[in-house]
Amino acid sequence: EAPHATHRRREFTDNDGHPVGYGRMLRKEDPRFVRGQGKYVDDVVLPGMLHLAILRSPVAHARILSIDTSAAEAHPKVKAVVTGADLAKQGLAWMPTLSNDVQAVLVTDKVRFQGQEVAFVVAEDRYSARDALELIDVEYDVLPAVADVRNALAPDAPVIRDDLDGKKDNHCFDWETGDEAATAKVFDEAQVKVTQDMVYPRVHPAPMETCGCVADFERVAGKLTLWCTSQAPHAHRTLYALVAGIPEHKIRVISPDIGGGFGNKVPIYPGYVCSVVASIVTGKPVKWMEDRAENLISTGFARDYVMRGEIAATKDGRIQAIRTNVLADHGAFNGTAAPVKYPAGFFGVFTGSYDLDAAYCKMTAVYTNKAPGGVAYACSFRITEAVYLVERLVDCLAYELKMDPAELRRKNFIRPEQFPYTTQTGWVYDSGEYERTLDKAMELADYAGLRREQAQRREHGELMGIGMSFFTEAVGAGPRKDMDILGLGMADGCELRVHPTGKAVVRLSVQSQGQGHETTFAQIVAEELGIPPEDIDVVHGDTDNTPFGLGTYGSRSTPVSGAAAALVARKVRDKARIIASGMLECSIADLEWEKGSFHVTGDPTQSVTIQDIAMRAHGAGDLPEGLEAQICYNPENLTYPFGCYICVVDVDPGTAVVKVRKFVAVDDCGTQINPMIIEGQVQGGCAEGVGMALMQMIAFDEDGNCLSASFMDYLIPTALEVPHWINGSTVTPSPHHPIGAKGVGESATVGSPPAVVNAVIDALAPFGIRHADMPLTPSRVWDAMQGHPTPS
Ligand code: MCN
Ligand code: CUN
């Protein structure tokens, strides 16, 4: 026995008795959440804190003729009233968006969407601030609004962005990908061609916690501390430094517990900037929290793509090409959150999981009088739209060919030996075994049995539908050579420190909003070092205490920061090996690692645990440093998770109500860190998918009034609308990720909507219907059954 081997390595097991680190470990953060002990932004209360409320435009498009703030200023509890004109004097009336556009912090010239920020009030309490908003008198000269994206480029359409130099129309950008000529050739010669128009309506992430912040500018220190609902605290800090001119080291962004983000908390909203200004002006901490209506009408929307899809195939069902034309509604300001080189996000993966000869997409993006934002709601940067397009098109083709949709997919999959596979639009899929996943889903669902049951039910006039989708996602942005947000390369830092007693702290640049990072990142380090996950503290969401990195969205935490955590742990292990060789008086080459300890090759009794090594690393003597390391991980490629979803619905022939009866989700996200968390992510995303497919839409009337400003109108699925989920998985590791893991956080919102829609359309087959647009509410399904196309 080595002299230092004072305590033997414990065997740590998860709840099912599997060895750590990976496995179904209960979430470390949940004891505080289930006890109501989470600390959210709205829980932050500082001495002397004031409250900010925002006056929003009641109309979608209007010139501001005058603003009278005198009555509000006279309110006894009001400390400040600020308008766009006030901000303009400081050069702060406009801010950059994440897509190199500009957005008004407060309106100076004209209002461009309903709910836009017009002025703000700072008062002693939230009620007074809101009351004082009523005292501000604004004279609007209302202009005609562009509420339907299809009218945005009409010659007589009012020009929304006349703030931009020489802007004479509502055109935002054009984008294309793939080979137009090669695709046209395949289409010209194809035996079968199917064209389908479809709309992916505007939806909203609607997290339980709305957006908000507490800004505290300490005048003497010149330091700004911002508690903020941010999915990307480091990126936000840099942007504040660039916009507000406050030195970056004098800004501390803290994202405490976050009550759901789903992409809603990626952009910087005017409310945050107003709060910072308010704190600077008043010299006091200032809190701003949106209410639900403000959140739904003014913050980051998702989707809003009007798509025409075309698919070319042989008569026996070999898919040859896909072509698509997209009209993208970007709202009044282009606030899309995506790497800057990708104005349409990663929509380029619309070729799906299929081996095609050619593909082409042409997109036109336009401005409308609607809220800005774009790319949110668990979207994997527009892969939601891409997967919906291709998975609906494949079903339309199956309908025309009278083929089983599952077999049509199987026939066209990229085969395992083709990986790494470069798609016709240039994406390099890292790994995949699609057929295995398809088989597993069909087996779990008893697909053959379902088809038999359906045939029987149809004989009795019952409308049962079976829908499948098979998706491939691209998640884990960078690499930084191709991907940046406003010049910030998409890589992630990570720091790991092992304390003398063998406990550890790992510091991340990503930020959990409910995904369980405090658990899974501890598990990653545990797996590499053999320290139990409960002994590893995960620190995130505080720019003063964590390394720089680009934050959590696009399911990038596992692909990028997860890799960083594994590699930083390996770096620590390499240091531990050097120390162990001294302790065991042998050469480094003679040491073998077994999770949690080193032993001399051939003699397991000569061993030291990582805890022994930690104590030694901090002990007396001439060791150069403690047991810690830091790295920055720049991914080599994205990771490409995939999955097969099967949905079974029953449509009531009398009421057209759709009931989701069964839902099978088989996901492949490579190596699984915590299968329980993965299932939770998938189940949550599937519920969101049911919501989008059947219930949700941010709708507008022709004047641009938002018709979905409350949960009475924007429907969130409850336990009543969703089935008992059946989860399965396959494991195809990513070859370039240090632990083979791929992201999964957005897989189900991406994959589930087409499965649900395909199921509903399949149920309506007796009516000869090939497509109807989401959300498939009873009235839309009823219209479809009467042969009326859906209004969208
Ligand atoms: N995981 C795992 N094994 C894998 C992959 C992931 O155990 N092979 C675990 C991860 O360790 C992490 C979780 O699953 O705990 C999600 O990981 P990942 O796929 O890397 O996604 P992110 O952590 O980057 O989360 C972002 C993603 C996005 S972009 C949206 S939008 C979304 C989502 O996560 N928002 C969410 N899931 C959400 N879940 C909750 N509860 N709340 C949100 O706001
Ligand atoms: Cu697109 S929603 Mo998630 O990337 O934060």
Side-chain angles (χ1 to χ4, degrees):
E1 186 94 343
H4 298 286
T6 46
H7 39 265
R8 301 303 313 158
R9 182 165 72 94
R10 275 166 46 203
E11 282 305 332
F12 304 100
T13 55
D14 65 21
N15 313 319
D16 294 339
H18 299 126
V20 291
Y22 307 155
R24 291 178 177 272
M25 182 183 160
L26 288 180
R27 303 203 319 174
K28 290 171 71 174
E29 44 270 84
D30 283 347
R32 93 171 170 273
F33 291 148
V34 297
R35 288 175 174 84
Q37 298 292 310
K39 291 275 179 292
Y40 299 89
V41 168
D42 206 22
D43 294 320
V44 175
V45 176
L46 301 178
M49 188 173 80
L50 302 174
H51 296 262
L52 183 144
I54 294 176
L55 180 71
R56 295 178 182 278
S57 170
V59 292
H61 202 189
R63 273 197 197 285
I64 301 234
L65 299 179
S66 66
I67 305 183
D68 181 356
T69 58
S70 52
E73 277 159 18
H75 187 291
K77 294 200 167 167
V78 166
K79 299 291 176 192
V81 182
V82 173
T83 65
D86 300 325
L87 287 187
K89 286 179 208 146
Q90 312 298 324
L92 288 172
W94 293 83
M95 62 178 192
T97 69
L98 296 178
S99 283
N100 281 320
D101 193 358
V102 288
Q103 174 177 354
V105 177
L106 292 177
V107 174
T108 51
D109 51 347
K110 73 174 186 184
V111 165
R112 293 178 169 85
F113 66 94
Q114 188 192 44
Q116 192 178 343
E117 298 79 1
V118 174
F120 70 79
V121 168
V122 188
E124 284 171 26
D125 58 75
R126 182 172 163 94
Y127 306 100
S128 304
R130 296 237 153 188
D131 284 350
L133 293 183
E134 306 283 322
L135 303 173
I136 302 176
D137 210 6
V138 187
E139 231 187 313
Y140 295 98
D141 174 20
V142 179
L143 303 167
V146 181
D148 185 334
V149 65
R150 281 161 285 213
N151 300 333
L153 295 177
D156 58 345
V159 178
I160 299 164
R161 295 301 304 278
D162 50 358
D163 59 295
L164 298 174
D165 256 358
K167 192 92 188 116
K168 293 275 185 285
D169 59 21
N170 294 316
H171 181 259
C172 182
F173 65 82
D174 287 322
W175 174 80
E176 61 172 351
T177 185
D179 188 330
E180 185 174 16
T183 308
K185 188 162 183 293
V186 176
F187 268 91
D188 287 346
E189 292 163 8
Q191 293 170 329
V192 184
K193 287 169 257 196
V194 180
T195 303
Q196 182 63 57
D197 287 333
M198 55 187 100
V199 176
Y200 207 134
R202 176 176 279 232
V203 290
H204 197 280
M208 211 188 304
E209 179 202 36
T210 58
C211 300
C213 68
V214 175
D216 184 16
F217 185 75
E218 294 164 65
R219 283 183 180 165
V220 176
K223 177 141 186 171
L224 170 70
T225 304
L226 189 68
W227 286 263
C228 187
T229 50
S230 169
Q231 294 181 218
H234 288 277
H236 280 191
R237 180 188 58 183
T238 306
L239 295 180
Y240 286 118
L242 294 173
V243 175
I246 304 172
E248 198 166 0
H249 66 298
K250 297 283 190 185
I251 303 175
R252 178 179 184 187
V253 177
I254 300 174
S255 287
D257 286 330
I258 302 232
F262 307 106
N264 195 196
K265 291 163 180 169
V266 177
I268 293 182
Y269 293 116
Y272 303 152
V273 180
C274 292
S275 305
V276 171
V277 171
S279 182
I280 293 173
V281 169
T282 59
K284 302 274 189 198
V286 174
K287 178 185 281 185
W288 166 67
M289 275 316 290
E290 284 170 349
D291 63 20
R292 182 59 57 192
E294 293 183 285
N295 180 256
L296 284 171
I297 70 174
S298 73
T299 64
F301 71 91
R303 329 290 190 249
D304 225 344
Y305 269 21
V306 176
M307 306 184 274
R308 164 159 296 177
E310 295 172 87
I311 189 163
T314 59
K315 269 188 293 204
D316 62 351
R318 195 178 82 72
I319 305 173
Q320 294 163 299
I322 294 177
R323 185 160 58 190
T324 171
N325 201 306
V326 180
L327 186 57
D329 186 338
H330 278 245
F333 307 100
N334 184 12
T336 298
V340 287
K341 266 202 221 165
Y342 299 83
F346 296 171
F347 186 77
V349 302
F350 68 86
T351 53
S353 314
Y354 311 108
D355 185 18
L356 306 180
D357 299 335
Y360 178 68
C361 169
K362 177 163 172 38
M363 179 179 295
T364 303
V366 298
Y367 292 115
T368 59
N369 289 111
K370 299 184 190 172
V375 187
Y377 202 180
C379 59
S380 299
F381 294 138
R382 300 281 189 193
I383 293 173
T384 31
E385 291 89 326
V387 165
Y388 184 70
L389 177 95
V390 54
E391 289 307 288
R392 277 300 301 131
L393 272 182
V394 169
D395 258 44
C396 290
L397 178 65
Y399 179 95
E400 295 300 336
L401 295 174
K402 299 189 174 50
M403 260 182 91
D404 180 89
E407 287 321 303
L408 180 58
R409 286 178 170 84
R410 185 192 298 280
K411 198 178 169 100
N412 287 284
F413 278 155
I414 300 163
R415 295 182 311 280
E417 66 276 13
Q418 290 178 285
F419 289 91
Y421 176 86
T422 305
T423 71
Q424 293 297 337
T425 47
W427 299 78
V428 184
Y429 291 5
D430 57 350
S431 62
E433 270 208 59
Y434 295 162
E435 209 169 346
R436 183 166 57 141
T437 310
L438 178 85
D439 285 339
K440 184 139 189 190
M442 289 175 74
E443 195 185 301
L444 272 177
D446 183 20
Y447 189 82
L450 286 170
R451 286 288 177 206
R452 282 195 297 275
E453 182 192 338
Q454 183 185 43
Q456 283 164 8
R457 286 187 187 269
R458 276 191 182 154
E459 281 173 19
H460 303 105
E462 289 177 45
L463 302 176
M464 169 185 168
I466 304 159
M468 172 181 282
S469 77
F470 197 101
F471 64 91
T472 299
E473 275 185 283
V475 301
R480 74 200 302 178
K481 71 174 162 46
D482 298 325
M483 295 182 198
D484 68 274
I485 290 190
L486 297 181
L488 301 174
M490 301 190 83
D492 283 350
C494 190
E495 284 172 20
L496 175 63
R497 198 175 290 173
V498 184
H499 305 311
T501 56
K503 316 291 178 189
V505 54
V506 61
R507 297 172 191 277
L508 313 175
S509 59
V510 287
Q511 164 64 33
S512 184
Q513 307 111 43
Q515 296 90 340
H517 289 182
E518 286 167 52
T519 306
T520 45
F521 279 82
Q523 289 185 275
I524 294 173
V525 174
E527 178 76 13
E528 298 296 331
L529 285 185
I531 296 174
E534 54 267 38
D535 286 354
I536 300 164
D537 212 15
V538 175
V539 176
H540 56 193
D542 179 351
T543 55
D544 269 9
N545 287 305
T546 55
F548 185 84
L550 272 245
T552 291
Y553 40 82
S555 307
R556 65 187 294 285
S557 303
T558 303
V560 188
S561 271
L567 292 179
V568 83
R570 287 177 196 173
K571 222 169 149 178
V572 164
R573 201 167 70 199
D574 288 343
K575 284 190 175 174
R577 181 186 291 271
I578 297 170
I579 298 166
S581 81
M583 291 167 79
L584 294 170
E585 295 175 349
C586 68
S587 84
I588 287 173
D590 290 340
L591 282 175
E592 254 171 61
W593 171 255
E594 195 189 324
K595 207 188 279 180
S597 67
F598 283 106
H599 65 259
V600 178
T601 308
D603 185 1
T605 63
Q606 293 283 310
S607 75
V608 283
T609 66
I610 187 77
Q611 288 81 6
D612 302 330
I613 297 167
M615 186 56 87
R616 180 73 191 98
H618 295 85
D622 54 3
L623 284 165
E625 48 191 309
L627 204 49
E628 56 192 62
Q630 74 173 74
I631 68 156
C632 176
Y633 180 76
N634 176 24
E636 174 181 321
N637 185 8
L638 296 153
T639 65
Y640 292 82
F642 52 93
C644 183
Y645 292 176
I646 297 174
C647 175
V648 184
V649 300
D650 297 298
V651 179
D652 185 321
T655 63
V657 168
V658 177
K659 177 86 190 155
V660 180
R661 186 209 304 178
K662 185 174 192 174
F663 199 106
V664 171
V666 176
D667 277 84
D668 192 318
C669 57
T671 304
Q672 304 188 351
I673 298 151
N674 187 326
M676 181 194 74
I677 286 184
I678 292 170
E679 279 167 20
Q681 290 287 301
V682 171
Q683 293 179 3
C686 284
E688 293 181 321
V690 169
M692 283 180 277
L694 302 180
M695 302 156 73
Q696 297 178 343
M697 171 157 82
I698 297 286
F700 295 84
D701 70 11
E702 58 192 22
D703 296 322
N705 293 309
C706 180
L707 305 176
S708 322
S710 82
F711 281 162
M712 300 288 280
D713 304 296
Y714 187 74
L715 302 181
I716 302 292
T718 69
L720 292 178
E721 283 83 29
V722 300
H724 175 76
W725 310 105
I726 302 168
N727 287 100
S729 63
T730 54
V731 175
T732 312
S734 167
H736 63 83
H737 187 281
I739 61 172
K742 304 179 177 187
V744 77
E746 297 169 305
S747 293
T749 31
V750 168
S752 59
V756 179
V757 174
N758 286 346
V760 176
I761 302 299
D762 185 53
L764 300 180
F767 295 87
I769 292 160
R770 202 180 72 186
H771 179 75
D773 278 325
M774 296 188 283
L776 292 169
T777 57
S779 82
R780 283 193 170 186
V781 174
W782 183 260
D783 280 348
M785 285 159 65
Q786 313 309 311
H788 304 309
T790 44
S792 39

